[in-house]
Amino acid sequence: MDPQLVHILFAPENPQHQSQALEYLNSLHSRPDSWQLCAATLCSGAEQLDDKIKFVCLQVLEGYIKTNYKNGSSEAHALLRQHLLQWMTIVCTRPPDQQEKVFIRNKTAQVLALTFVVDYDVVWPTYMNDLLSLLQLGHQAADLYLKILHAIDSEVVDRETLHSQEVMDHANLLKDRMRERVVADMANSWYDILVSILLFDILVNILCSDILIKYEKSQPEIVCQCHEVIGAYISWIDISLIANERFVSVLVRHMQDPLLREAAAECLLETITKGMEPMAKMNLIESLCAVLEQAGLLKPIDDDESDFLVKLAKLVNGIGCQLIVAWQKLDKKNKAGRDAIRNAVENKSVLLLQFLASEYDDVSAAVFDFARSYIQMVKQIGQITDVDKGHMENLLYIVINKTKYDDGYNFDQEGEDEAMFDEYRKSLKVVFDNLAVLMPDLVLKVCRDYVITTLGRWQGNAWQESEACVSLLYSLGEAVPAHHGNHFTGPFQMKSTAMCDMVRLLVSCNVSGHSHPAVALQFFECVVRYEKFFIVEPQHIPLVLAAFLDHRGMRNPSPKVRSRCSYLFSRFVRCLKFQLLPFTSDILTQLQPMLTISTVPHTRNSSVLLSPDDQLYVYEASALLVVGCGGGGGGGGGSSGVSSDASANKSTLMSQLLTPLLEVVQQLAHSLTHNLGPMQQVATAQIICHCMAVTARTSKAFSQQSTMRSCDCVSLYLHATKLFIDCVNLDVERETIGLGLRQLLHRLVVCLDHSDLLPLMPLASQALLHTSSLHSLIEFLPLINQLMTKYKKECSAFVESVLSPLICAIFSSVNSASDASDEDETRQKRALQRGYYLFLSSLVSSGLLPVLASVDAQLLDQVLLSVVQGAVEFPDPSAQKNCFSLLKKIVEEWGAADKAPSNFVNFMYIQVVPACFMAPLKTNFDLSDAQTLQALHESAMCLKEVYRARGDDLLKYLRDDYFPKMELAPHLINEYCHALSSDAKFFRNYVKVFFQSVK
């Protein structure tokens, strides 16, 4: 072995040396006899060997055992076994201050575990006995022995590792052999390791020599390893080997040792989770609990060591959950057994409450499963005892108390700890919801008393108490069922009264003025959740409006509160726009300062109250108020349902809302043409884009009842659109400004009739497709798809005008030369192709196929051929499915029609029919993949459509022309033609079988 090259592997001096070292390592792995060199190297002069040499030798042995060992001779097996035993002896007999590094011992254990897997059953049946004999060599031998058992567990037992059926069968055979031969001896060895450590502790106390103190420091690690091994193996060995007096007594003693108790608790948890019959499981758990309770080990301790408390809580959680699983599995006819298990669960629920109430959140979270399972069990039983009711009430109080934030929560800069507490609160809410389902009256009563009491004296409480109270009220909205979505009306008078009492107090107690942002945020979340309360008691609306509009809400010192309030206010207005009619003028006046468009880019430290995103919500709310004022409940698409005065009023107010914004855009557009620097151009373009987004957002105020036309606002929005098109045509930051224009046009398609919008579309299209870049084409296609889907044949003239240049631009972009290594451009081209196929599908589905037929014949041929190519060659089954679906629709329209293009029938036979076979026959067409199977089914339906159009003519073509070229067997030809002429469902199911047999 060349030590220098091995060292270069770990610390390469230069690329050439590293290449030489890698070649050397590959040669070691590939040479059939290199394992002998490595094994001999390990066993001769191990004291002088470098750790890197040892590691490489072990790696080579690992590779040999995995690949070539099974094919070796019996002499080679014996030689390897001899070397491994010798190497283990060397590892186990090194002086304590010179023992092998952990990574060497771990790799040794891995190699020996692999040897066990391939050798134990036949070649090396004494494997485990040989391991056990090494234990007499001392603590290093025990350490290696336990590491090997861990590695064997990973290779043979670990259920988290996916294995083939053959590997799993072999693993089961190994476990059977171990049960027959050595498991009892292994259990005795584990006991001896644990007990020898205890005896060794006594020797340390007596002798206290230096060398013994060195050993003493390492002993807890060996004991913990032993506990881990027992926990790993307990799932498949006889439980009586561990669940007996001698082992349990040791485990209990270890539970009292600060260095060992965590591992002992985990071992006990693995013991009680072993699969057993229900009554046997209950007896095991009850006996263990009796011993632990007698030793005072099951209750929470006054200890700062939260790690052990978490382990203890997990043990209690496991005890509870396993008892409940046993109760569920037990035959319902065994009433005595089920009652016994239920009593056991009730007794353990005291522990549940103690650990759930722990001051450590991770300790509390460890028993969530027990809490949820306990509630579910009581629900399944159907009869709630007084004991259960008391436990549930205590559980509810604990959940309420644990919801409170602690002082260390950082609302300004939330990190990992804050995220963990947020997840903890979500889990608490699940428990709360489960309690509400089980005992809704109790939950409502407790929550009402808590909310009324806490809000009644919130000024004297800590902010955490107030926030938890409002948060609890918010959670009730999901936990307690509502009557047709309304908590404040309906047949359940007690519930409605309680909810009204709580929300009324929330609004009137002035808690909205709390100085802590968490309380303020929760207040606004709550009033928006319970917006239907204000329909029942509208007299409270002014209080909430005032809170939203002043320093408590959108003018709050906290940016987080301001931002969230802007969104919540828009929701509040949308839900209550008719109740807000009397306040519209005052609200718009107070919102005016927040509607001002800043011509300076927004920054974190900006003096502007709201960010651009937040301002979108304020504009939306303002537009909702405008559209809702003066009636607005009128008829559908025309103006007949709204009086002319009301329409004029809305038009005036909307103009007052948008005109200042459009004036800012005109000023900014003018400045763009006056030699601004690149940075200023970008900032100005972003502000213009924001103005377009604001305009688009205001259009969300219109509805089927209050349309843009009925509100007399069409001309205003068309004027704004023309201005924005002019901004794009300035040819400065065209992509940025074009993004805003596309957003606005998407909204206008929703809001305007074809007669209003289509005259603008040619101008808008020219502006958006000025460069015909990949990005601009990809973004434009969804817009024209939306246009065709809504307006259908009314937009045929516009589509006809843009169709040919648009398709040519797409072909040019897709077929343009590009760098094969440019992955981003490749992705964009594929995205454009997908968009192109969707565009053609939208065109055909919208009844615009005659428009496609009107293009130049050569271009039409290119389009049809591109769809066939997409169906056969595009590397995405979803796109292939779309292409076959598109071909099916075209065949449906043109397959038998006189008005079809003259050469379309030939195209069907020459291109469409072969595509239905070529695509499924490709090697990358995976018939086991769900999406690919959908593409196959769509291809079958496409061919079925050709059959409907051409009938027996298609069958004759397949029999006499196409199938003979495929060299298909006569019986398959007959089968296929029969299936094709059968019903669609039968044919669709048949094609999969057909292609599986042909491929």
Side-chain angles (χ1 to χ4, degrees), residues 778 814 825-835 874-875:
I778 292 169
V814 170
E825 185 174 359
T826 302
R827 278 194 299 270
Q828 282 196 318
K829 284 187 175 182
R830 286 188 177 175
L832 178 57
Q833 284 180 277
R834 291 189 189 93
F874 198 77

Side-chain angles (χ1 to χ4, degrees), residues 74 138 226 486 885 943:
S74 57
C226 192
N486 195 330
S885 176
L943 196 60

Side-chain angles (χ1 to χ4, degrees), residues 884-944:
F884 277 120
S885 176
L886 177 58
L887 287 171
K888 178 171 75 79
K889 292 173 184 175
I890 295 174
V891 170
E892 185 179 350
E893 292 288 329
W894 287 349
D898 296 335
K899 58 184 178 181
S902 57
N903 61 343
F904 185 73
V905 174
N906 288 335
F907 176 81
M908 278 197 302
Y909 285 116
I910 296 172
Q911 297 292 347
V912 178
V913 173
C916 296
F917 293 94
M918 292 167 62
L921 287 174
K922 281 192 169 289
T923 55
N924 60 352
F925 199 88
D926 183 7
L927 293 174
S928 63
D929 176 68
Q931 284 190 321
T932 306
L933 201 58
Q934 288 182 353
L936 176 67
H937 290 160
E938 204 60 47
S939 72
M941 293 301 98
C942 178
L943 196 60
K944 189 72 175 174

Side-chain angles (χ1 to χ4, degrees), residues 496-525:
S496 301
T497 302
M499 293 298 295
C500 283
D501 290 344
M502 288 186 282
V503 178
R504 188 184 304 115
L505 181 59
L506 173 72
V507 174
S508 61
C509 74
N510 202 32
V511 73
S512 59
H514 202 292
S515 59
H516 199 283
V519 182
L521 269 177
Q522 201 61 58
F523 168 83
F524 289 110
E525 296 279 0

Side-chain angles (χ1 to χ4, degrees), residues 61 93 178 282-283 328 434 440 592 609 664 737 745 751 772 780:
L61 290 178
T93 54
M178 290 175 72
M282 187 200 74
N283 292 331
Q328 291 170 337
N434 291 343
Q592 192 59 46
L609 285 174
V664 169
I737 303 175
L745 289 172
C751 297
S772 295
F780 180 75

